[in-house]
Amino acid sequence: MLTLLKLLKDGRFHSGEALGAALGVSRSAVWKQLQHLEAELNLPIHKVRGKGYQLASPLVFLNAENIALNAPSLEWPIHISDSIDSTNTEGLRLADSGCPAPFLVLAEQQTAGRGRRGRKWVSPYAQNVYYSLVLRIESGLRQLEGLSLVVGLAVMRALRESGVQGAALKWPNDVLVGQKKIAGILLELVGDPADICHVVIGIGINVNMRRADEVDQQWTSVQLETGSPVDRNGLVAQLSMQLQGYLDRHKAGGFVSLQEEWEQNHAWQGRAVSLIAGVNQVDGVVLGVDHQGALRLSVDGVEKIYSGGELTLRLRDDS
């Protein structure tokens, strides 16, 4: 199927006869493989009598050399998989097997992509960015403070550089355009954070996705926002350069050095919100974040601090 996909990636029409000849199979076998492509990879294919078959839009595959050309100062080794359960999981496997960090894991498709609280992250083939950076942290509890918020700043800047001017942050792990989610962040840690540990920075960005029936919340993509397809290699390079810069600033000055910048770009700053933890709900107004990246809320006129991976923040007027 992937050989067939590479024949179609230019977005032009190809006859069933020509595809069959290139693959050494019959036209009916080509037809069956095309049906599998549509069903398994969620790639719409146009079929026109007399012309043949055409991908609804051209595909550009992820390429480490292309990424390196666009990010010449980047020194992270890049591992690219065609299809994988999850880039975060692969990052943890590689770290466990002795692969020296930092390194970057990318995939064209995830079969078990996940977000916060175990939610499924919809990961169609060759449409989005599924990105995991594995870092080794030694005696660095300070390096973990506010880390997901720092990553959010890097993602937001990369999106703005790619033409999504309305990209903004939502505490603690999302990047929004208006009320629609365009990117999410999932950090996973293994080892002893007080000694030596590895942290996997997982980032998912909706890039060229235009349909996703499985997504159960409002979403958008870079292509939907800008009106044209995006070169994912260029976006990965831009994201990596932004992330490298923000991680250096965070390492040098801690989250406090980035706190004000984060608050200035928080989409819900000053908004009335509900903070939900299981069956419990707290209503308040967003004041900002503290030096560790925890949420500061005004609750009945009293400032309170909240942090934790199981918290959900919603606008109070959001039905």
Side-chain angles (χ1 to χ4, degrees):
M1 279 201 304
L2 292 175
T3 305
L4 175 58
L5 188 58
K6 284 168 183 175
L7 292 171
L8 292 168
K9 71 177 185 177
D10 58 11
R12 297 176 181 172
F13 277 104
H14 297 262
S15 71
E17 186 177 1
L19 292 170
L23 294 170
V25 299
S26 67
R27 289 175 66 178
S28 62
V30 169
W31 169 248
K32 287 180 182 176
Q33 287 198 30
L34 287 166
Q35 288 181 307
H36 281 302
L37 273 182
E38 282 197 294
E40 293 182 24
L41 301 185
N42 193 25
L43 289 172
I45 297 171
H46 297 154
K47 310 163 193 70
V48 178
R49 187 180 295 275
K51 283 189 170 184
Y53 308 98
Q54 174 196 48
L55 282 177
S57 56
L59 290 179
V60 177
F61 295 104
L62 294 169
N63 180 283
E65 290 181 5
N66 194 321
I67 294 166
L69 278 174
N70 286 283
S73 64
L74 196 67
E75 296 181 351
W76 302 332
I78 302 173
H79 303 259
I80 300 177
S81 295
D82 190 69
S83 183
I84 205 169
D85 49 0
S86 137
T87 57
N88 266 28
T89 302
E90 176 69 0
L92 292 168
R93 278 193 293 260
L94 288 169
D96 190 53
S97 68
C99 185
F103 60 86
L104 182 57
V105 179
L106 303 169
E108 297 287 5
Q109 179 187 41
Q110 296 182 122
T111 57
R114 61 190 188 279
R116 290 177 68 231
R117 301 190 307 283
R119 283 182 172 174
K120 179 180 179 181
W121 187 270
V122 176
S123 308
Y125 187 85
Q127 292 184 41
N128 299 327
V129 164
Y130 318 117
Y131 178 115
S132 293
L133 174 64
V134 181
L135 301 175
R136 176 184 164 96
I137 295 180
E138 300 181 20
S139 302
L141 279 172
R142 185 184 179 211
Q143 291 180 51
L144 299 174
E145 288 179 355
L147 183 57
S148 66
L149 280 67
V150 174
V151 175
L153 278 168
V155 175
M156 180 196 72
R157 294 293 180 201
L159 286 168
R160 289 184 183 176
E161 288 292 328
S162 301
V164 186
Q165 297 304 320
L169 303 167
K170 177 202 162 192
W171 188 89
N173 293 82
D174 293 341
V175 183
L176 308 178
V177 180
Q179 300 306 317
K180 297 178 180 179
K181 186 169 176 175
I182 193 169
I185 296 155
L186 177 67
L187 267 57
E188 295 183 284
L189 188 144
V190 288
D192 182 358
D195 185 20
I196 296 175
C197 67
H198 284 88
V199 62
V200 184
I201 297 171
I203 300 169
I205 303 177
N206 300 331
V207 184
N208 292 320
M209 187 165 70
R210 290 180 291 176
R211 278 193 59 193
D213 298 333
E214 299 171 81
V215 181
D216 60 357
Q217 59 184 303
Q218 291 188 79
W219 65 273
T220 188
S221 69
V222 181
Q223 181 171 351
L224 288 174
E225 293 300 318
T226 62
S228 56
V230 177
D231 176 5
R232 292 176 302 136
N233 289 302
L235 179 55
V236 166
Q238 176 64 230
L239 172 60
S240 299
M241 296 303 291
Q242 293 285 351
L243 193 52
Q244 185 172 257
Y246 274 102
L247 289 174
D248 286 346
R249 290 172 62 189
H250 182 240
K251 187 174 183 179
F255 179 70
V256 65
S257 65
L258 295 160
Q259 178 184 354
E260 184 179 351
E261 181 182 351
W262 194 92
E263 289 181 338
Q264 288 171 349
N265 290 284
H266 190 204
W268 292 2
Q269 194 76 4
R271 301 288 297 274
V273 298
S274 295
L275 187 66
I276 299 162
V279 296
N280 299 314
Q281 176 174 318
V282 175
D283 292 337
V285 175
V286 176
L287 298 175
V289 291
D290 70 5
H291 294 349
Q292 285 78 44
L295 184 70
R296 298 166 48 233
L297 281 187
S298 174
V299 180
D300 297 326
V302 177
E303 179 174 328
K304 296 191 175 182
I305 307 294
Y306 299 91
S307 64
E310 301 303 313
L311 299 175
T312 299
L313 193 66
R314 293 181 183 160
L315 287 178
R316 279 230 291 276
D317 55 2
D318 182 8
S319 59

